[in-house]
Amino acid sequence: MFSLLFIEKEPNQEVVDCSACGSSGYPISGDLNLLEKLVMKSDARYIIVVEKHAIFHRLVEDRIFNQIPCILITAKGYPDIGTRLLLHRMSREFPELPILGLVDWNPAGLAILCTFKFGSIAMGLEAYRYACNVKWLGLRKDDIEELVPEESLIPLKPRDHQIAKSLTSSEILPDKYKEEVASMIRSGLRAEIEALYFHGYEFLIKYIAKKIVLANYI
């Protein structure tokens, strides 16, 4: 985690400035009791959830928070319970901050976003316990058509089709999300966030900033 965020592990203990934690950020503990006790303060205006650690690292290296006042968080792939709990706590602590998800344009990326948004089916009755109102910032179909070069598109794998089938059969998946999955299946293609580097490494922050300014998330 990396951000305009200040954390105390417990009241009256040493305060950690997450923006000074280096490019790896502040590590998210697997101790759920510790996460529940964290005292958090922030002057951020957004929370951005990033699917991949490589993208997280790039955004930190480029000092995204100097341009977009945000809390940046990643589970380095499929979200573990600690990351989900921390994000849920942030949503309660800072209810005015939009939570925006940045994932690959493929069924797995959407499944990761949906785990943050709706919870994990594997948890049964606990599925919704740490759910948050995450909005899908990107990548989305319009981005693929306008910003991603054809040579950066990758054929879907059998596993992608399996995940897509599971997503589209879900009653809780919003129609706009189902439309995105349908576009993936029709095209037979997927795209990674890194495809935006076609426009230069500095483009990623510009892309995020424009999306936020236009409130272009679903």
Side-chain angles (χ1 to χ4, degrees), residues 98-103 105 110 113-114 116-118 132-143 172-184 207 211-212 214-218:
I99 305 175
L100 309 174
L102 181 64
V103 299
W105 191 70
L110 179 54
L113 184 141
C114 287
F116 282 113
K117 188 176 182 71
F118 302 116
C132 302
N133 186 24
V134 181
K135 301 292 186 180
W136 190 0
L137 185 77
L139 295 175
R140 302 203 314 272
K141 179 176 177 288
D142 290 349
D143 303 321
I172 62 174
L173 194 72
D175 288 342
K176 288 184 178 180
Y177 288 20
K178 289 183 178 180
E179 291 169 8
E180 291 282 341
V181 177
S183 294
M184 297 173 195
Y207 162 82
K211 285 263 189 174
I212 289 175
L214 297 176
N216 186 1
Y217 38 81
I218 56 177

Side-chain angles (χ1 to χ4, degrees), residues 23-25 50-59 74-77:
S23 60
S24 295
V50 182
E51 173 187 352
K52 300 155 83 171
H53 186 254
I55 298 297
F56 172 91
H57 190 271
R58 180 82 220 182
L59 292 172
T74 183
K76 304 178 183 179

Side-chain angles (χ1 to χ4, degrees), residues 69-121:
C70 65
I71 297 170
L72 200 64
I73 185 169
T74 183
K76 304 178 183 179
Y78 195 82
D80 59 282
I81 190 66
T83 305
R84 289 178 53 215
L85 169 56
L86 182 59
L87 185 64
H88 181 70
R89 278 223 52 216
M90 287 181 184
S91 72
R92 298 198 323 255
E93 198 78 23
F94 314 117
E96 73 284 0
L97 301 188
I99 305 175
L100 309 174
L102 181 64
V103 299
D104 288 341
W105 191 70
N106 60 26
L110 179 54
I112 287 171
L113 184 141
C114 287
T115 301
F116 282 113
K117 188 176 182 71
F118 302 116
S120 171
I121 295 174

Side-chain angles (χ1 to χ4, degrees), residues 2-186:
F2 204 97
S3 58
L4 300 172
L5 181 69
F6 299 88
I7 288 178
E8 290 178 80
K9 290 187 177 180
E10 291 186 13
N12 302 317
Q13 288 195 358
E14 181 183 0
V15 177
V16 177
D17 177 0
C18 292
S19 66
C21 288
S23 60
S24 295
Y26 181 82
I28 299 173
S29 172
D31 184 337
L32 303 189
N33 289 326
L34 176 62
L35 293 175
E36 286 283 11
K37 293 177 182 177
L38 290 179
V39 178
M40 297 182 286
K41 297 179 181 179
S42 179
D43 56 0
R45 294 178 59 190
Y46 309 94
I47 299 171
I48 301 177
V49 181
V50 182
E51 173 187 352
K52 300 155 83 171
H53 186 254
I55 298 297
F56 172 91
H57 190 271
R58 180 82 220 182
L59 292 172
V60 172
E61 287 286 308
D62 291 344
R63 309 288 288 181
I64 183 175
F65 46 85
N66 287 345
Q67 301 177 56
I68 304 171
C70 65
I71 297 170
L72 200 64
I73 185 169
T74 183
K76 304 178 183 179
Y78 195 82
D80 59 282
I81 190 66
T83 305
R84 289 178 53 215
L85 169 56
L86 182 59
L87 185 64
H88 181 70
R89 278 223 52 216
M90 287 181 184
S91 72
R92 298 198 323 255
E93 198 78 23
F94 314 117
E96 73 284 0
L97 301 188
I99 305 175
L100 309 174
L102 181 64
V103 299
D104 288 341
W105 191 70
N106 60 26
L110 179 54
I112 287 171
L113 184 141
C114 287
T115 301
F116 282 113
K117 188 176 182 71
F118 302 116
S120 171
I121 295 174
M123 292 182 67
L125 295 176
E126 295 288 298
Y128 300 102
R129 185 173 181 182
Y130 303 125
C132 302
N133 186 24
V134 181
K135 301 292 186 180
W136 190 0
L137 185 77
L139 295 175
R140 302 203 314 272
K141 179 176 177 288
D142 290 349
D143 303 321
I144 306 308
E145 294 174 345
E146 298 172 10
L147 300 172
V148 175
E150 187 174 345
E151 58 268 25
S152 295
L153 298 174
I154 307 166
L156 291 176
K157 297 179 179 180
R159 177 63 177 160
D160 291 313
H161 288 279
Q162 293 173 5
I163 297 173
K165 184 177 180 180
S166 176
L167 286 168
T168 53
S169 65
S170 171
E171 295 181 357
I172 62 174
L173 194 72
D175 288 342
K176 288 184 178 180
Y177 288 20
K178 289 183 178 180
E179 291 169 8
E180 291 282 341
V181 177
S183 294
M184 297 173 195
I185 299 303
R186 279 197 304 270

